[in-house]
Amino acid sequence: MALQAQPGPPSPRGAARWDPDQYLKFADHRLRPSLELLARVPLANPRVIYDLGCGAGEQARMISEQWSDATVYGVDSSREMLQKAGAEPGRVQWVEADVRIWQPETPPDLIYSNAAFQWVDGHRELFPRLVGLQAPGGCLAVQMPLSWGMPSHRIMRQALVDGGPGGTPLGTEELRQRVARKWVDDADEYYDLLVRQTASIDIWETEYLQILAGDDPVLEWVKGSGLRPILNELSEAERAIYLDEYARRLRAAYPMRANGGTLYPFRRLFIVATV
């Protein structure tokens, strides 16, 4: 899922942009947490629903099927993702917007966001604002990856620092500082942020032991999500150097098992808050 981050992901260079097909390579693994989030929404008949960071639209379409009488909007800042979403017929209304300044036309009963808000800075302002937009009895349901401290993402950042020829850095200092940002806070911080503004709040974490297939599958996974801002910023020559070195380090951190599978533990944070 793609949402405009603050101060914003790097400007695209060359062919490296948000790639819906790359993101959907692991559609089953990415779909499971979204379904588990949706199953915990305690609403019987929401009338207005927004999926923020809807990406290619899979979850928004499922939401529209689950609540067939609701008006469902899919909101994303990535034109590429929205073009992919709109290519499939359905009754979801697709909206290109920046979540930081987005305002619903009608107070929503449900704001749903799966794996998108990690791209957006300012959670201390964003989350209370979204709760404040809800209709009475409404629900905010959010899932975010807790990937910042995972080996794959620590290696991702370190390869920018010393992955160039002779251990030199790649990209700009500004890029290295940007990707060093911890994009999701700890669960207790969201509880403290929302508890006074909500009638109920449910927060939990789940770690999935994902079994990935193919060559360099962890690299292929992050190329569809967390790696995109780096690939967008690096020059074509730097990008090739970086990917070679990053892939080498990932193979050491996540070795292929005897049966050809690769185990990739992945932890996620879930928040369901009602007003």
Side-chain angles (χ1 to χ4, degrees), residues 95-161:
V95 180
E96 184 177 348
D98 181 343
V99 69
R100 294 170 298 163
I101 57 175
W102 164 81
Q103 290 284 342
E105 295 180 0
T106 304
D109 301 297
L110 172 61
I111 295 177
Y112 172 95
S113 182
N114 180 68
F117 287 167
Q118 70 273 14
W119 297 111
V120 184
D121 269 352
H123 285 190
R124 290 192 170 277
E125 295 74 37
L126 175 66
F127 276 72
R129 186 178 79 84
L130 294 177
V131 168
L133 295 173
Q134 301 273 6
C139 177
L140 174 67
V142 175
Q143 183 274 124
M144 298 178 288
L146 294 173
S147 52
W148 190 85
M150 292 167 43
S152 57
H153 288 63
R154 294 199 306 267
I155 295 168
M156 181 189 297
R157 298 189 294 271
Q158 190 61 36
L160 278 178
V161 174

Side-chain angles (χ1 to χ4, degrees), residues 152-275:
S152 57
H153 288 63
R154 294 199 306 267
I155 295 168
M156 181 189 297
R157 298 189 294 271
Q158 190 61 36
L160 278 178
V161 174
D162 59 13
T168 57
L170 293 166
T172 64
E173 177 62 25
E174 193 273 337
L175 171 63
R176 292 189 291 276
Q177 291 179 1
R178 189 187 306 134
V179 300
R181 174 182 71 91
K182 184 180 179 183
W183 46 72
V184 177
D185 295 322
D186 294 336
D188 63 315
E189 297 182 55
Y190 292 100
Y191 176 84
D192 291 338
L193 185 63
L194 297 175
V195 65
R196 293 186 179 88
Q197 209 179 348
T198 55
S200 67
I201 183 166
D202 187 11
I203 301 181
W204 73 99
E205 297 178 12
T206 299
E207 182 170 283
Y208 301 86
L209 186 58
Q210 300 177 151
I211 305 171
L212 306 184
D215 296 329
D216 292 324
V218 177
L219 177 63
E220 291 301 310
W221 174 281
V222 296
K223 281 169 67 176
S225 52
L227 194 57
R228 298 311 302 176
I230 292 175
L231 298 183
N232 287 351
E233 178 74 8
L234 294 177
S235 68
E236 185 174 350
E238 284 185 316
R239 194 182 304 141
I241 294 169
Y242 176 85
L243 286 173
D244 284 346
E245 179 60 20
Y246 184 37
R248 184 187 68 80
R249 298 184 188 190
L250 284 177
R251 285 192 291 269
Y254 299 96
M256 183 180 289
R257 319 304 274 202
N259 66 350
T262 299
L263 301 182
Y264 185 36
F266 204 98
R267 196 164 187 84
R268 297 179 181 274
L269 173 66
F270 297 79
I271 302 170
V272 176
T274 57
V275 299

